[in-house]
Amino acid sequence: MSMVLLREVPVDSPIHRLWAGTKMIVAFFISVLLMLQPTWPVLGVVVAFLIVIGLAARLPLGTLPRLPWWFWALIVLGGLITIPTGGTAVLRYVQVTLFGLILLTTSFLIAWTTPMSEIAPALAKLGAPLRVLRIPVDEWAVVVALTLRGLPLLMDEIRVLRAARRLRPKDGSMARGAANPLVDILTAAMAVATRRAGELGEAITARGGTGELTAHPAGPHRADYLALIVSVVVCGGAAAIGVLL
């Protein structure tokens, strides 16, 4: 499976130039709208809105993930299981599936158009009011940012480990390990992740600690307020259409 996962696509577009917090707020609007009104008209408006955002972001077609066959097979299998319960249940299943794919696509759009270094500062700024309640906003923002940054690295390591395992000689000494390929890869991945975590911790400490990860001067600009207004209008219009239809 070849995909661009949680990595910024280096192209210049109006969506790329928006503040990371603006994109998170828009994603929040979309998720709330779909949770309150997961109807077909609303789903259609949101899908069209995301397509427009993707076109405005100038993302190449190669950015889209090529999901494995078993992913679609599981979705089809779930639909077949719901058929005996009636047509209404099947339609609900399709709506829920589309709802999940929309949220996944929204998250991917944020990742494809936003540098990972801007995620933690944006989360810290959006969560600033929670500091009154003595909630560790900065620490949570750092955890989220490091998780998003570390997941693609871990996946790359797993790909390298799988490729290296295929190149191992198929002799008697490797027979025992060959019988448990998943165990071999998971064990090696845990070792690599532990080593990378140590290196990352040392690098963060050398650069001034986790506080430096959230100390970013970026914030909303005129284009961000315009994007929020457009998002509110689209989500409000979709909600009105969902009520009328």
Side-chain angles (χ1 to χ4, degrees):
M1 178 176 59
S2 175
M3 70 171 66
V4 180
L5 179 63
L6 299 179
R7 294 181 186 275
E8 182 192 12
V9 179
V11 296
D12 184 31
S13 74
I15 307 300
H16 282 74
R17 292 191 290 270
L18 292 177
W19 178 49
T22 300
K23 303 170 193 178
M24 296 179 191
I25 294 174
V26 173
F28 175 75
F29 287 164
I30 292 175
S31 61
V32 171
L33 172 64
L34 293 181
M35 284 189 294
L36 296 178
Q37 287 188 317
T39 60
W40 289 113
V42 174
L43 290 173
V45 171
V46 173
V47 169
F49 184 46
L50 292 180
I51 291 175
V52 172
I53 292 176
L55 294 175
R58 300 173 184 172
L59 298 171
L61 291 178
T63 305
L64 297 176
R66 297 173 180 84
L67 299 175
W69 65 268
W70 53 263
F71 176 84
W72 302 110
L74 289 176
I75 291 180
V76 173
L77 178 62
L80 294 176
I81 293 175
T82 58
I83 288 178
T85 60
T88 303
V90 174
L91 290 177
R92 178 62 64 182
Y93 172 78
V94 175
Q95 283 182 329
V96 172
T97 302
L98 184 58
F99 172 80
L101 292 175
I102 288 175
L103 294 184
L104 187 63
T105 302
T106 304
S107 302
F108 279 173
L109 284 173
I110 295 176
W112 291 334
T113 61
T114 310
M116 287 296 102
S117 59
E118 296 182 7
I119 296 297
L123 287 174
K125 183 166 291 189
L126 291 175
L130 298 178
R131 292 193 181 97
V132 178
L133 303 176
R134 296 185 179 182
I135 295 177
V137 175
D138 292 334
E139 288 76 5
W140 288 3
V142 170
V143 170
V144 172
L146 292 180
T147 301
L148 294 176
R149 183 67 185 94
L151 183 58
L153 296 176
L154 181 59
M155 292 187 64
D156 288 343
E157 291 290 351
I158 292 177
R159 292 192 186 101
V160 172
L161 292 172
R162 290 180 60 188
R165 195 177 188 286
R166 293 194 190 100
L167 296 176
R168 293 198 311 181
K170 302 296 189 297
D171 55 12
S173 61
M174 299 296 178
R176 183 176 180 181
N180 300 283
L182 182 60
V183 173
D184 285 353
I185 293 176
L186 290 179
T187 303
M190 290 176 61
V192 171
T194 302
R195 175 177 59 80
R196 282 193 173 273
E199 295 174 352
L200 183 60
E202 293 175 359
I204 292 175
T205 302
R207 295 184 180 183
T210 56
E212 294 296 322
L213 298 178
T214 57
H216 197 280
H221 299 88
R222 182 178 301 176
D224 295 284
Y225 295 117
L226 178 60
L228 289 176
I229 292 174
V230 171
S231 301
V232 170
V233 170
V234 171
C235 292
I241 292 174
V243 172
L244 294 177
L245 299 180

